[in-house]
Amino acid sequence: MTDLERLRTGPFHDLVGYEFIEAGPEGVVIALDIEDKHLSQNGVLHGGVALTILDTVGGMSFVCYRDDVVTVATINISVNFLRMVAAGRLFARAKVDFAGSRVGYVSMTLSEGGLDGPEICRAHGSWRLFDRPVEKP
């Protein structure tokens, strides 16, 4: 199974509409085409959508970084929103800063139009790393 195949994140993936573009030990990239459903009442990208994309790219970066990480749970994310955007294609990138035995830290960016495009937001976060699937309640 390739890294891209391992990253399917469930029904929420379909609801939001993002796609995994790159996946490997060096990082993960997600793309999202902004649609009306992603906009706030002010006609710009809703901050919750941006946070969802950053959360996903950050967490999934650990799954690709280490083979023993089966799933993750977000502990904390800190996001700095830098500018507004209302249309276009967004790209989120994550790079693992540190991966311990149970907790990892990652840096993320969300950019407009390409990975080198203007940054929409920048984030850092921590995740709990699991070596087996988490049991559902």
Side-chain angles (χ1 to χ4, degrees):
M1 179 181 302
T2 69
D3 284 333
L4 283 172
E5 292 169 332
R6 293 174 62 200
L7 298 182
R8 177 92 176 98
T9 57
F12 195 61
H13 178 137
D14 295 328
L15 178 68
V16 178
Y18 54 83
E19 79 179 283
F20 289 95
I21 302 296
E22 295 176 21
E26 65 286 343
V28 174
V29 175
I30 290 177
L32 174 73
D33 292 314
I34 298 174
E35 300 176 29
D36 286 344
K37 68 181 180 179
H38 299 127
L39 302 180
S40 72
Q41 69 275 18
N42 299 316
V44 297
L45 181 71
H46 192 285
V49 174
L51 184 57
T52 294
I53 300 303
L54 293 168
D55 182 32
T56 302
V57 77
M60 293 299 98
S61 65
F62 293 108
V63 174
C64 293
Y65 187 75
R66 280 204 343 229
D67 290 335
D68 66 320
V69 176
V70 175
T71 192
V72 298
T74 308
I75 296 171
N76 181 61
I77 299 176
S78 176
V79 181
N80 293 307
F81 295 93
L82 306 173
R83 57 189 294 269
M84 295 181 289
V85 63
R89 188 162 171 88
L90 302 179
F91 292 84
R93 170 184 276 166
K95 184 171 184 340
V96 172
D97 297 321
F98 172 79
S101 61
R102 295 180 184 245
V103 176
Y105 301 92
V106 67
S107 298
M108 302 148 283
T109 58
L110 183 64
S111 302
E112 180 183 5
L115 292 172
D116 295 327
E119 283 188 4
I120 305 303
C121 42
R122 198 177 290 169
H124 296 83
S126 55
W127 276 260
R128 172 68 165 87
L129 311 178
F130 296 95
D131 59 2
R132 60 188 172 280
V134 176
E135 292 184 27
K136 296 178 182 174

